[in-house]
Amino acid sequence: MNTDKIRQEIRGLSDGKLFFNNAGSSLMPNIVVDSMIDYLHQEEQFGGYEVANRNTELLENFYAETAKLIHCKPSNIAFMTSATEAFAKALSSIIFKEDDVIITTVDDYISNQITFISLQKRLNVKIIRIKKLDNNELDFEELENLIKEHHPKLVAVTHISTNSGLIQDVENVGKICRQYNVLYLADCCQSVGQMVVDVEKIGCDFLTATGRKFMRGPRGSGFLYVSDRVLEQDYAPVLLDMRGAHWSEFDNYELFKTAKRFEHWEVSYAAVLGMMEAVKYANNIGLEQIENYNRKLAETLRTNLSESGFKVLDIGKNLSSIVTFCGPDNDLENIQNVLRDNNVFFSASYKHSALIDFTDKKVDGAVRLSPHYFNTLEEIDKVSEILRNSLK
């Protein structure tokens, strides 16, 4: 992997910033931005319908590249405007009834948790959260016992939480779900783009992802994976449009066969193209290379922070490129001021967005640095030194 070449293909690095907010919204490669601008210029000249018709084959590459990214078929992929939309579309295809059970974790994303609570309030669906072991890993024995006891309608697990670097063992969750024939939704919003994600190994029925984070695509882009099993059983979102079905009779329709039935007809095709280029860019580098390099960056950063006296809040045997920490006295404000003063781009998570996790960790929040494959070890050392000096 040629990091120098990759950095030259990012105009956003030209002003000397230290960019460590890839878990929030990353910097797009030039090809992503240029392709979208060119497409919009075409729409300016010829109108959206004509340009879409002229670029049909190019736009279809989105499905092929995304299928290659997560090891499935193009027919399993639907374009989404965000991971949240993908999550909602997947949930809306499941007919929940009173007393149905959803099993999830304490680390599920805030929007996912709120969605589950909304279902609980509206439909009296029950939410059960899997306990953690002392090492912060999921208790799989408890998961299996809960499935046997409650026969859940759905198991939903976030691969990497937005507020913690822990990589949860989604593959083992998939094995248990398949054993008991339970629907399984994997939120891979933070893992897609920073590491190898293989739906065959995960064994999920739905997988959700966004474009703007480690995938380095534009805002307003993402995708939903839908398994063959789900498609063959005619799962579809509650509110379909002509992208999802053929109007076959006055009062009937026929679902289309592929995951495109989960899409809406009207989307930004410039965003589709930009997302395609982002996925293609990552595929060309290779996700295994990206994962190995990212692990080295994150491990170095965690070591530097711990040795400098910061509280590193990431706990578990398998950690990602999301590094969360606070000051020795749980301070967040001073750290953020120092980072801003030194042109470091970062983000912060507060207790309201990780209510269970941060309550358990006895902190009110965390500063989050999320390095990616265009960052260098020299940048890791530089931000580490900036933070180290802030404690003097």
Side-chain angles (χ1 to χ4, degrees):
M1 186 170 67
N2 189 336
T3 305
D4 288 339
K5 181 176 183 296
I6 290 167
R7 290 175 67 84
Q8 290 169 10
E9 294 170 346
I10 310 170
R11 285 186 289 266
L13 289 176
S14 60
D15 60 357
K17 65 172 70 77
L18 293 170
F19 193 89
F20 292 104
N21 193 17
N22 297 286
S25 189
S26 187
L27 299 179
M28 291 179 283
N30 295 344
I31 185 64
V32 173
V33 180
D34 293 343
S35 68
M36 294 176 68
I37 291 172
D38 177 68
Y39 193 91
L40 290 172
H41 282 160
Q42 291 183 58
E43 287 192 341
E44 178 185 36
Q45 295 297 318
F46 307 110
Y49 280 21
E50 176 64 23
V51 176
N53 289 334
R54 292 183 181 191
N55 289 277
T56 299
E57 186 175 340
L58 182 62
L59 293 166
E60 281 295 310
N61 286 342
F62 163 77
Y63 302 95
E65 287 292 342
T66 306
K68 180 180 176 183
L69 178 77
I70 63 170
H71 304 96
C72 65
K73 301 190 297 290
S75 58
N76 298 120
I77 298 297
F79 177 82
M80 294 284 139
T81 59
S82 68
T84 300
E85 185 200 17
F87 202 85
K89 287 283 189 73
L91 284 177
S92 81
S93 73
I94 304 168
I95 308 302
F96 289 102
K97 299 177 182 177
E98 186 172 355
D99 294 328
D100 279 343
V101 171
I102 297 173
I103 295 178
T104 186
T105 74
V106 299
D107 289 322
D108 238 46
Y109 180 51
I110 175 176
S111 292
N112 301 352
Q113 297 278 11
I114 289 172
T115 299
F116 298 147
I117 295 168
S118 175
L119 288 170
Q120 181 176 253
K121 287 177 176 288
R122 289 172 179 267
L123 301 176
N124 290 322
V125 168
K126 295 178 180 178
I127 307 166
I128 299 176
R129 298 182 179 93
I130 311 165
K131 292 178 182 176
K132 291 291 193 74
L133 299 172
D134 291 340
N135 64 359
N136 207 38
E137 301 292 330
L138 292 174
D139 186 335
F140 291 111
E141 183 178 349
E142 189 202 33
L143 171 59
E144 190 166 0
N145 289 335
L146 288 172
I147 289 175
K148 287 191 285 188
E149 179 182 354
H150 296 282
H151 307 288
K153 199 67 167 278
L154 176 72
V155 171
V157 176
T158 295
H159 197 181
I160 301 174
S161 171
T162 192
N163 54 270
S164 167
L166 176 66
I167 302 173
Q168 303 203 104
D169 188 352
V170 291
E171 292 182 14
N172 205 27
V173 173
K175 290 176 184 176
I176 296 171
C177 288
R178 287 196 300 274
Q179 181 181 346
Y180 293 95
N181 196 30
V182 178
L183 280 174
Y184 175 29
L185 193 167
D187 178 346
C188 293
C189 186
Q190 292 288 8
S191 55
V192 166
Q194 71 151 299
M195 60 184 290
V196 175
V197 174
D198 188 333
V199 291
E200 291 183 3
K201 292 180 179 179
I202 296 172
C204 54
D205 295 289
F206 300 100
L207 181 148
T208 61
T210 191
R212 64 180 161 86
K213 298 180 183 291
F214 289 96
M215 203 63 257
R216 301 183 62 207
R219 293 199 77 171
S221 68
F223 67 85
L224 171 67
Y225 160 83
V226 187
S227 70
D228 286 338
R229 178 176 85 137
V230 165
L231 291 173
E232 288 164 4
Q233 293 179 34
D234 286 345
Y235 281 76
V238 170
L239 301 177
L240 287 160
D241 71 7
M242 61 183 179
R243 183 70 164 174
H246 168 65
W247 190 14
S248 56
E249 300 175 42
F250 286 0
D251 293 309
N252 202 5
Y253 58 78
E254 295 175 4
L255 286 172
F256 292 138
K257 300 298 184 184
T258 74
K260 288 180 181 178
R261 72 173 69 148
F262 284 80
E263 297 180 350
H264 278 144
W265 185 80
E266 183 57 41
V267 296
S268 165
Y269 283 102
V272 175
L273 183 59
M275 181 63 171
M276 185 277 290
E277 293 290 358
V279 176
K280 183 178 178 181
Y281 193 90
N283 281 337
N284 286 342
I285 295 172
L287 271 297
E288 190 172 344
Q289 278 200 82
I290 290 172
E291 179 177 349
N292 291 336
Y293 184 77
N294 282 354
R295 185 181 299 113
K296 185 176 182 180
L297 292 176
E299 286 176 353
T300 303
L301 180 56
R302 285 194 183 92
T303 299
N304 290 352
L305 292 172
S306 295
E307 291 177 350
S308 298
F310 291 93
K311 286 185 181 179
V312 176
L313 302 174
D314 307 313
I315 305 167
K317 61 186 178 184
N318 196 10
L319 301 178
S320 71
S321 278
I322 296 179
V323 179
T324 60
F325 64 101
C326 60
D329 55 355
N330 292 350
D331 169 68
L332 298 178
E333 186 175 355
N334 179 59
I335 295 171
Q336 294 182 73
N337 289 336
V338 167
L339 292 174
R340 290 190 191 100
D341 289 345
N342 285 275
N343 204 24
V344 179
F345 285 68
F346 67 97
S347 55
S349 294
Y350 293 94
K351 197 168 186 176
H352 64 83
S353 65
L355 197 56
I356 301 173
D357 185 47
F358 284 167
T359 298
D360 290 344
K361 290 175 178 176
K362 297 180 173 59
V363 295
D364 292 324
V367 174
R368 185 179 69 177
L369 295 176
S370 45
H372 205 6
Y373 62 90
F374 58 76
N375 290 119
T376 65
L377 284 170
E378 289 76 17
E379 288 181 316
I380 295 291
D381 289 338
K382 189 170 182 179
V383 75
S384 300
E385 183 180 2
I386 289 167
L387 288 165
R388 189 181 305 117
N389 291 336
S390 73
L391 293 180
K392 294 179 180 179

